[in-house]
Amino acid sequence: MYRVAVVNSRSFGVHAPDLVERLKKYAEVEWISVDKKSHGKELAEKLKGFNFIIASVTPNYDREFFENNNDIILIARHGIGVDNVDIKAATENGVLVTRVPGEKERDSVAELAVSLALAAIRKVCFSANLVKKSLWKERGKILGFTIRGKTVGVIGLGNIGSRVSEIFSKGFNATVLAFDPYVSEEKAAEHGAKLVDLKTLLRESHIITLHTPLTNETYHMIGKKELELMRDGVVIVNTARGGLIDTNALIEYLEKGKIGAVALDVIEDEPIDGKHPILKYENVIVTPHIGANTSEGLRGMDEANVEAIISVIEKRVPPGLVNINVLNRENRANIKR
């Protein structure tokens, strides 16, 4: 009997128990929690005996992990990003890696990004707290701005960024500027965006929203230099990965008063607690990485993971396979193209 470890994912199967029951017809399923900083040999030992991992955003599955665990056949990311998996090491050790196809989360994450932007611009959370504090009379001090006619900068015009662009351009009649070196001008135009270089986007945008993967190239792509280029009062939204923004630099520019508002669904070193220094600012909103947390989004993620595992057990190429080159070499699933 195959064994599946659901690692650090509190949402898998909760809203789709029928999918868990389907998976249990093929394998034993066990939920496991490990330290988010666990990695390497220690993590490999912890997960010995399991053939499949349904992986959350933590911990990190690094080279040392793959070199010390011979049981893992497949790591199925319960999400889109695979930045916590060493894809090269997985491939070299014959382990398949899948992720949730983008369309499963597209609307859920895009709609949250727009919601966060609106909440930040109109100071929704701050205003609601005034009422809870019996400070209704303070409402005259609340001032936002309309999005119509403003410029929205979308960094990363892929699966989710393209939907965000559509919503802002077609729904709000905003001008959308996009930075994405992998998208053509024609494709950008289809989603209501105009391609520009990053500096232009940073200088001209009233709202900047991030939708790019976290890689060595994109790590801290928003730091002091980039924040300095932005217009005063800019609203920054991040629903992608916390590491895209240098948090210390962000706090520095919040302190200077240059930033109008920040709305984050992701942040470096998440999860954070209520004592985090960024939370002292009234113009900051942080939500606990809930981008895909809709009934449709979570079920779609569960479906993708279950289908990937069952496909591998049945010797089929799994949907969402990231390291397709693993099929050109000896792999633990014994699957060929």
Side-chain angles (χ1 to χ4, degrees), residues 15-302:
H15 302 283
D18 57 306
L19 294 174
V20 177
E21 292 306 311
R22 181 183 176 213
L23 182 57
K24 285 181 177 179
K25 293 178 181 178
Y26 291 82
E28 297 177 0
V29 183
E30 185 175 340
W31 278 255
I32 295 177
S33 294
V34 302
D35 188 287
K36 69 174 185 175
K37 295 183 178 179
S38 179
H39 66 95
K41 189 173 182 179
E42 176 189 356
L43 182 61
E45 291 291 332
K46 180 86 173 178
L47 296 176
K48 276 194 179 299
F50 290 99
N51 311 108
F52 301 91
I53 295 173
I54 294 176
S56 186
V57 292
T58 65
N60 287 322
Y61 300 89
D62 56 12
R63 178 171 292 278
E64 185 182 329
F65 167 82
F66 290 109
E67 291 177 348
N68 286 277
N69 188 309
N70 297 317
D71 298 323
I72 300 298
I73 297 172
L74 163 73
I75 292 183
R77 266 288 289 118
H78 194 234
I80 294 176
V82 290
D83 45 278
N84 63 321
V85 182
D86 187 330
I87 302 299
K88 187 171 185 288
T91 303
E92 291 173 359
N93 286 275
V95 178
L96 286 74
V97 180
T98 62
R99 63 180 173 187
V100 174
E103 66 272 11
K104 299 287 188 180
E105 295 183 9
R106 187 177 192 238
D107 287 326
S108 298
V109 181
E111 289 172 11
L112 178 67
V114 175
S115 298
L116 285 172
L118 288 168
I121 292 165
R122 297 304 303 271
K123 300 176 174 58
V124 173
C125 298
F126 177 74
S127 300
N129 282 328
L130 287 182
V131 178
K132 291 180 180 179
K133 296 175 183 177
S134 300
L135 293 174
W136 188 290
K137 63 183 180 180
E138 299 292 318
R139 70 187 187 92
K141 298 178 182 179
I142 304 300
L143 183 66
F145 62 82
T146 57
I147 297 173
R148 181 184 178 91
K150 299 299 189 300
T151 299
V152 179
V154 178
I155 299 177
L157 202 62
N159 179 63
I160 294 168
S162 61
R163 181 64 182 135
V164 170
S165 176
E166 292 169 356
I167 295 171
F168 275 119
S169 62
K170 300 173 184 177
F172 291 90
N173 290 317
T175 297
V176 177
L177 303 180
F179 170 72
D180 192 321
Y182 304 102
V183 172
S184 67
E185 291 184 3
E186 293 75 20
K187 195 67 177 176
E190 290 178 13
H191 299 294
K194 176 185 177 183
L195 281 184
V196 296
D197 60 78
L198 183 58
K199 287 185 178 180
T200 299
L201 183 149
L202 296 174
R203 282 195 303 261
E204 297 187 9
S205 300
H206 298 88
I207 306 162
I208 295 174
T209 177
L210 284 75
H211 304 283
T212 188
L214 179 62
T215 65
N216 290 334
E217 291 73 28
T218 62
Y219 175 73
H220 281 188
M221 68 182 301
I222 301 298
K224 287 185 179 181
K225 291 190 300 182
E226 291 75 23
L227 290 164
E228 190 63 39
L229 285 173
M230 296 178 191
R231 65 167 68 230
D232 291 346
V234 65
V235 173
I236 300 172
V237 179
N238 187 8
T239 56
R241 284 291 183 267
L244 298 174
I245 300 177
D246 181 339
T247 307
N248 290 331
L250 187 62
I251 291 172
E252 179 181 334
Y253 278 77
L254 278 164
E255 191 67 31
K256 289 180 178 180
K258 181 180 179 69
I259 299 172
V262 172
L264 310 173
D265 188 46
V266 291
I267 189 168
E268 290 186 287
D269 300 319
E270 62 182 66
I272 63 172
D273 61 28
K275 297 178 182 178
H276 194 287
I278 201 168
L279 298 177
K280 76 175 185 179
Y281 299 97
E282 294 177 339
N283 55 343
V284 170
I285 300 170
V286 180
T287 52
H289 205 146
I290 58 168
N293 285 26
T294 61
S295 56
E296 298 86 354
L298 289 177
R299 182 174 182 85
M301 291 166 64
D302 291 356

Side-chain angles (χ1 to χ4, degrees), residues 311-323:
S311 294
V312 170
I313 291 173
E314 294 180 343
K315 305 301 179 185
R316 295 183 283 114
V317 176
L321 183 62
V322 175
N323 55 340

